[in-house]
Amino acid sequence: MAEAALQMSHEDMIQPELGMRSLRVLARLLDYPTEALQGAVDELIEALYVERRLPAALRGDLMSWCQRISEADLLELQSEYVALFDKGRAHSLLLFEHVHGESRDRGQAMVDLIDEYKAAGFELDARELPDYLPLFLEYLSTRSDEEIGRWLGEIRHILALLTARLEERGADQALVTRALLALIGAEEDVEAQREAVLGEKRDDTPEALDEVWEEEAVRFSAKSDEDCALQSAEGRRLAERKRQTQGEAIRILDPVDAAKKH
């Protein structure tokens, strides 16, 4: 799971009372379902209830989903997960894939993100890529509200697109990405993506997967000077964000505001 893939080098960082627990719950729910997840459902529900960082209606939907997870057949949950996330790229949980695809930009963006983790005292093991969303949420769960808001603002367009696509498929995982948008008051972003998603051609059919393999073979064999000259747009954005002392503040929903939203 994501929790095991991101290791903290400072002992005080792993204390359960520190950080936003709701983000850790969302990370678990978005990760591959396991027996451990089913066994931890009561803890997940309690964390959502106690922290109350999300709007009441959305929090209730997440709790209901947790209950369904605990009662479902594990093999069926895992099969559905693989079908949703491991075939095609439309629902990819690798954030930079939605921005850079497989270009060189993505590799540099991941290096930059690893540097962010290391600067915060985290070490990443080899099992997950740094832009894997559940892993990223583990990292965010230890950050300040200001930093969480800034990061979620950076990826809000990806979250909105993922939400629209997952909701189109009727997937419970859409609750996670919608919850992340709700934390920064950006749920309306989903509607802006709705029409485009409705017109998309599915990329998880056998025919679509064959086309992707063919394209990858051509791209891998091509030698492009232009591709080699690419610079990381994501890296430039990270560097610029570090230099800015005053940026656009995106406020995280606090428990009082969440209680007002139904």
Side-chain angles (χ1 to χ4, degrees):
M1 293 180 67
E3 182 180 29
L6 192 61
Q7 300 175 354
M8 308 177 195
S9 59
H10 303 303
E11 185 175 349
D12 60 347
M13 281 183 157
I14 64 175
Q15 298 303 314
E17 65 270 15
L18 298 179
M20 190 184 293
R21 294 179 68 196
S22 294
L23 286 177
R24 298 178 192 177
V25 172
L26 297 177
R28 301 295 179 277
L29 292 174
L30 204 56
D31 208 350
Y32 184 74
T34 63
E35 186 175 350
L37 173 65
Q38 288 185 312
V41 158
D42 288 344
E43 297 174 40
L44 301 182
I45 291 175
E46 181 184 5
L48 290 171
Y49 178 79
V50 171
E51 194 169 65
R52 295 174 181 262
R53 298 302 295 265
L54 299 170
L58 187 52
R59 195 167 64 245
D61 288 341
L62 285 164
M63 292 177 181
S64 296
W65 178 27
C66 287
Q67 195 61 44
R68 291 196 298 276
I69 289 174
S70 70
E71 298 169 354
D73 178 79
L74 181 57
L75 290 179
E76 185 175 339
L77 286 176
Q78 293 173 338
S79 177
E80 291 173 353
Y81 187 94
V82 169
L84 187 63
F85 292 112
D86 292 352
K87 296 181 179 180
R89 294 175 175 171
H91 307 126
S92 176
L93 297 179
L94 299 174
L95 293 170
F96 295 150
E97 190 167 75
H98 294 282
V99 180
H100 304 300
E102 294 298 328
S103 74
R104 291 177 183 270
D105 275 3
R106 184 182 172 207
Q108 183 58 53
M110 289 193 289
V111 170
D112 296 332
L113 187 54
I114 289 174
D115 288 341
E116 290 277 335
Y117 291 159
K118 288 182 178 179
F122 291 87
E123 290 296 332
L124 184 69
D125 74 15
R127 285 181 293 172
E128 296 293 355
L129 294 174
D131 60 337
Y132 180 54
L133 183 53
L135 178 64
F136 183 62
L137 295 181
E138 284 284 342
Y139 165 71
L140 285 190
S141 73
T142 68
R143 304 293 89 198
S144 67
D145 280 9
E146 180 182 5
E147 194 169 353
I148 293 170
R150 186 180 301 120
W151 272 113
L152 292 180
E154 287 277 330
I155 64 171
R156 61 189 289 177
H157 61 294
I158 300 174
L159 296 174
L161 181 61
L162 269 174
T163 303
R165 286 172 171 170
L166 290 169
E167 288 182 347
E168 177 64 17
R169 290 285 294 272
D172 286 321
Q173 285 83 358
L175 292 171
V176 173
T177 49
R178 182 171 283 279
L180 295 173
L181 291 169
L183 277 172
I184 57 173
E187 285 186 85
E188 71 279 359
D189 288 12
V190 179
E191 296 308 314
Q193 301 288 343
R194 194 80 69 191
E195 185 175 352
V197 167
L198 288 174
E200 287 180 338
K201 182 180 177 182
R202 287 185 60 157
D203 68 350
D204 58 350
T205 64
E207 294 78 14
L209 292 173
D210 285 344
E211 289 180 10
V212 170
W213 278 109
E214 292 174 3
E215 291 172 2
E216 288 296 309
V218 172
R219 186 188 63 80
F220 183 77
S221 62
K223 293 182 180 180
S224 169
D225 291 337
E226 180 180 354
D227 185 53
C228 291
L230 286 173
Q231 296 181 11
S232 171
E234 199 72 26
R236 290 195 300 271
R237 286 204 305 160
L238 286 170
E240 179 63 25
R241 189 164 59 79
K242 289 178 182 177
R243 287 195 296 268
Q244 291 176 344
T245 57
Q246 297 291 332
E248 180 183 358
I250 300 178
R251 189 173 67 86
I252 291 292
L253 198 67
D254 61 32
V256 175
D257 291 338
K260 294 177 181 177
K261 299 189 69 173
H262 299 285

